Amino acid sequence: MRYIIIGAGAVGGAIGGRLAEAGHEVALVARGAHYEALRTHGLRLMTSEGTRTHRLPTVDGPAALGELRPDDVLVLAVKTQDSEAALEAWGPAPVAGGGTAAEQLPLVCAQNGVESPRIALRRFCRVYGVCVWLPATLVEPGAVSAAGAPLTGILHLGRHPHGTDETARRIAADLEKAHFEAPVVPDVARWQYAKLLGNLANAIEAVSGVLTSEEGLALFARVRAEGEAVLAAADIAYTGEEEQKKVRDNKIRFEPFDGSERGGGSSWQSLDRGTGTIEADYLNGEIVLLGRLHGVPTPLNELLQRLANTFARERRAAGSLPVAELVRLADEAVAFVQEERAPRP
């Protein structure tokens, strides 16, 4: 199978580079300066084993790749806010022998959140969800750091909305040969919702820096509790912490190559690169949406969604809001909701 990585940034670049190292045919899809760097210099992938440069076919859309093949696998690795545009571009792409990508090819959503597989299922017949557990950074155009060791990542994989099939097992087998663990599960959404709860910290990290202080961690505990209450009200199952720990324990250590502390995650990286967009609408915003649907107040996630989007839109510096100020705003948001819901005399 040939893997076409739609969005060869941090996660997509790490997956594509590792698959190429394992001998699989890979094509990269990128935009802007990253596209130019990949085309000119190749993908520079930094792992615990060293730095390798992969000169892979790189395109900015399906027309540049030509007719797709029946054995192609599309790996969607853009941020969720960019999913619709990517699916609109790739869905109608013709496949050799007849039909379109949306009709004939498997689409693997290797993204944070839970919304992209649902968006994809409107266009694509065969959609696969992935719970992405993969520390990776787009260091600069053309260069990706994947600092996990001994495994590069753990990628739970399954059909969306549920089930498994032979294609999922073949993809998982290829990933397993490429420094990933890739369990094929019939209930991948359970793993994605569990990851969503962890990703509620992304907005805190984006606006106030990496979570290291007791104040920041305590705020995240409150934000996560809000998310758990919403999932309970919506009757949505998610993998418990003990099950996650059993599967992941000691399999991935973060080993930065220069001895530095861990950098920010995906949302922090969006602000740091000044992209103008951020994924908060599909992380904290997912909790806000479910809260509104099921009558559960979500003032903390609403605040974080709003702040993250403001930071992105106004291109404010990542991590520039002091944690103490963020906690003050959070307390005010909760107090306002409590006052609004209090019985009137």
Side-chain angles (χ1 to χ4, degrees):
M1 297 188 290
R2 177 175 64 170
Y3 290 89
I4 300 173
I5 311 296
I6 304 171
V11 168
I15 292 174
R18 279 305 207 181
L19 284 168
E21 287 175 6
H24 299 288
E25 191 175 356
V26 174
L28 306 178
V29 183
R31 301 178 298 180
H34 189 47
Y35 163 74
E36 296 296 340
L38 292 172
R39 289 266 295 180
T40 305
H41 305 293
L43 170 66
R44 188 155 54 94
L45 180 62
M46 294 167 274
T47 70
S48 59
E49 299 146 22
T51 300
R52 298 179 180 86
T53 298
H54 303 284
R55 296 196 174 271
L56 303 170
T58 302
V59 299
D60 59 359
L65 197 59
E67 193 173 49
L68 300 178
R69 304 186 329 214
D71 65 343
D72 283 339
V73 175
L74 304 183
V75 179
L76 187 65
V78 300
K79 298 288 176 57
T80 302
Q81 64 267 26
D82 297 319
S83 289
E84 186 63 48
L87 294 168
E88 184 178 0
W90 285 87
V95 177
T100 65
E103 295 166 336
Q104 301 294 335
L105 301 183
L107 179 83
V108 179
C109 297
Q111 301 161 285
N112 282 335
V114 297
E115 182 65 12
S116 263
R118 185 173 180 272
I119 295 172
L121 207 58
R122 293 178 184 273
R123 299 177 184 269
F124 280 76
C125 298
R126 298 161 61 199
V127 176
Y128 299 78
V130 179
C131 178
V132 179
W133 195 262
L134 168 56
T137 304
L138 179 60
V139 179
E140 61 184 12
V144 170
S145 165
L151 289 175
T152 299
I154 300 176
L155 307 172
H156 283 77
L157 171 71
R159 284 291 295 261
H160 179 80
H162 50 74
T164 64
D165 61 17
E166 183 58 28
T167 298
R169 288 185 283 274
R170 289 179 63 197
I171 294 169
D174 288 349
L175 290 169
E176 298 259 351
K177 296 173 185 174
H179 291 270
F180 295 100
E181 187 170 290
V184 177
V185 293
D187 54 354
V188 69
R190 286 180 65 245
W191 292 88
Q192 291 174 307
Y193 275 103
K195 178 78 183 310
L196 173 67
L197 289 174
N199 283 145
L200 298 180
N202 286 27
I204 302 175
E205 182 179 73
V207 302
S208 293
V210 178
L211 279 173
T212 55
S213 69
E214 289 186 14
E215 213 173 7
L217 291 169
L219 175 59
F220 170 53
R222 295 165 63 192
V223 172
R224 181 186 172 103
E226 207 175 76
E228 291 174 343
V230 163
L231 294 187
D235 197 25
I236 293 174
Y238 58 92
T239 310
E241 292 189 24
E242 283 301 316
E243 185 177 355
Q244 293 181 67
K245 184 178 180 182
K246 183 178 179 181
V247 170
R248 294 177 176 141
D249 227 14
N250 300 317
K251 293 180 181 178
I252 302 178
R253 300 184 306 275
F254 181 76
E255 296 186 350
F257 313 118
D258 57 2
S260 63
E261 295 295 321
R262 182 181 80 85
S266 56
S267 297
W268 186 94
Q269 291 177 47
S270 292
L271 292 185
D272 190 52
R273 297 199 307 273
T275 62
T277 66
I278 198 166
E279 58 192 338
D281 285 346
Y282 301 98
L283 301 178
N284 306 91
E286 181 70 27
I287 297 303
V288 172
L289 170 62
L290 289 170
R292 290 169 180 167
L293 289 172
H294 296 279
V296 179
T298 58
L300 296 177
N301 281 281
E302 288 181 37
L303 171 67
L304 290 171
Q305 179 186 10
R306 183 171 64 252
L307 283 174
N309 280 315
T310 299
F311 267 59
R313 184 174 58 253
E314 298 179 357
R315 288 177 166 79
R316 296 188 193 178
S320 58
L321 181 68
V323 173
E325 176 64 10
L326 179 58
V327 171
R328 184 188 70 78
L329 292 172
D331 290 341
E332 287 183 355
V334 171
F336 178 80
V337 170
Q338 289 174 341
E339 182 178 345
E340 286 292 301
R341 292 170 65 88
R344 301 298 180 186

